[in-house]
Amino acid sequence: MTCKLYSLLTFGLLLSTATFAMPKPNPIKSGQAGSTQTAPSTKFYEVRIYHPTPGKYAEIVDRFRQYTTKIFEKHGMENIGYWTPTDTTNKELIYILAYPSREARDASWKAFGSDPEWKAVVAKTEANGKLVDHVDQIFMTESDISPKVEVGQKSPARTFELRTYTPTPGKLENLLTRFRDHTIKLFSKHGMTSIAYWVTQEKDPAAQPKLVYILAHPSEAEGKAHFEEFRKDPKWVTVKEESEKAAGGSLTTRVESTYMVPTDYSPIK
């Protein structure tokens, strides 16, 4: 009896010790400032920039409102966001679609192009001439530094900024590391909201991929003011200097920025 009691006590002690020693989970919550997903989405993304035929800007924006976005959905394309530049002299429609994969993307566009409903829309809306002069495309995958891409409307209305960084050759990983460890947190500190971060998929396999991301600001003026504060932040000055010293020079060769406002039919506002 004593032996059996001793065995039961020993087993209980071992079980208690094992339970106590188990590591506690430390989940990372998407969308928090400076946080990232445990794994990036496997979706394939595409930025499409439409340059309308002169005089057809309003018509192309309206065609998306009335027809195009719905037909996209019909063919398995996910509407992420639609924007127009705040600089009204820049007549462009900028939008982002998501697909399950590159192969799904190609199949969806093939089906879309041959859809009788779409052909009827084109015939109707282009009775007086083509609406689109040309289209720029950027293919991307989600970076592991990105928060979860979430559509939805925030109040009050926000202004968005599309930023494209061309890394110094061989320095993309250094740039992503700096964003992961420092930049995103400092953006949040200075009132800038990270929407998503992507890495481009270049047509030329030997080409240097770029970092493309979107920030949200209360307004364009506040966005520019917040960036000035960010650049003067002693923490950022130190981080920039140390990261460039470690990498042997600047991490980027070019930075492009476009301030945008969402269309009334944009899933992200």
Side-chain angles (χ1 to χ4, degrees):
M1 184 70 176
T2 302
C3 183
K4 184 179 294 186
L5 179 61
Y6 175 80
S7 298
L8 288 172
L9 288 172
T10 302
F11 177 77
L13 179 61
L14 289 171
L15 182 61
S16 175
T17 303
T19 303
F20 178 79
M22 287 178 68
K24 295 181 179 180
N26 184 27
I28 298 175
K29 295 181 180 180
S30 301
Q32 291 183 336
S35 71
T36 59
Q37 304 175 72
T38 53
S41 168
T42 57
K43 290 179 182 178
F44 189 78
Y45 292 84
E46 182 178 7
V47 179
R48 293 176 67 87
I49 305 173
Y50 278 33
H51 302 268
T53 302
K56 302 292 186 180
Y57 184 50
E59 284 89 338
I60 189 62
V61 172
D62 186 61
R63 184 165 74 182
F64 274 86
R65 176 186 294 110
Q66 293 195 59
Y67 309 106
T68 315
T69 58
K70 299 178 184 67
I71 303 177
F72 280 169
E73 290 176 352
K74 173 182 174 181
H75 291 287
M77 306 181 198
E78 183 181 355
N79 294 297
I80 300 296
Y82 289 79
W83 300 271
T84 56
T86 56
D87 178 359
T88 56
T89 64
N90 187 7
K91 304 297 185 184
E92 296 175 350
L93 175 65
I94 302 167
Y95 68 96
I96 297 177
L97 297 174
Y99 319 90
S101 65
R102 175 59 190 262
E103 293 73 23
R105 180 262 174 208
D106 294 344
S108 290
W109 274 100
K110 183 177 180 181
F112 170 83
S114 61
D115 189 325
E117 181 184 3
W118 171 243
K119 290 181 178 181
V121 167
V122 172
K124 177 181 178 180
T125 58
E126 297 190 356
N128 295 317
K130 288 185 62 177
L131 302 189
V132 181
D133 181 77
H134 65 283
V135 178
D136 294 329
Q137 298 166 275
I138 305 170
F139 296 130
M140 315 179 298
T141 53
E142 204 168 297
S143 169
D144 68 350
I145 68 173
S146 181
K148 182 180 179 181
V149 181
E150 295 180 337
V151 300
Q153 182 174 357
K154 300 291 184 180
S155 182
R158 300 179 292 177
T159 296
F160 296 80
E161 184 182 5
L162 177 66
R163 295 179 66 84
T164 303
Y165 284 24
T166 301
T168 302
K171 300 290 194 297
L172 175 61
E173 287 307 316
N174 301 77
L175 182 62
L176 292 173
T177 296
R178 187 167 73 185
F179 268 83
R180 181 184 297 108
D181 294 344
H182 305 287
T183 312
I184 295 176
K185 298 181 184 72
L186 288 169
F187 281 169
S188 179
K189 173 184 174 182
H190 290 285
M192 297 181 272
T193 302
S194 294
I195 301 299
Y197 292 81
W198 298 279
V199 173
T200 62
Q201 302 296 301
E202 302 293 329
K203 294 180 180 178
D204 180 359
Q208 171 78 55
K210 299 179 179 66
L211 172 64
V212 176
Y213 65 98
I214 293 180
L215 298 174
H217 308 285
S219 67
E220 181 175 355
E222 289 177 89
K224 290 178 177 178
H226 290 160
F227 251 108
E228 282 303 308
E229 296 166 4
F230 163 81
R231 293 187 184 101
K232 294 175 183 177
D233 188 316
K235 174 68 174 177
W236 169 246
V237 173
T238 299
V239 164
K240 184 174 186 292
E241 181 181 331
E242 291 180 349
S243 61
E244 292 183 351
K245 182 178 180 180
S250 176
L251 305 189
T252 60
T253 60
R254 186 180 183 187
V255 174
E256 302 165 81
S257 167
T258 301
Y259 280 90
M260 317 176 295
V261 290
T263 64
D264 58 284
Y265 50 87
S266 176
I268 292 181
K269 292 183 182 177

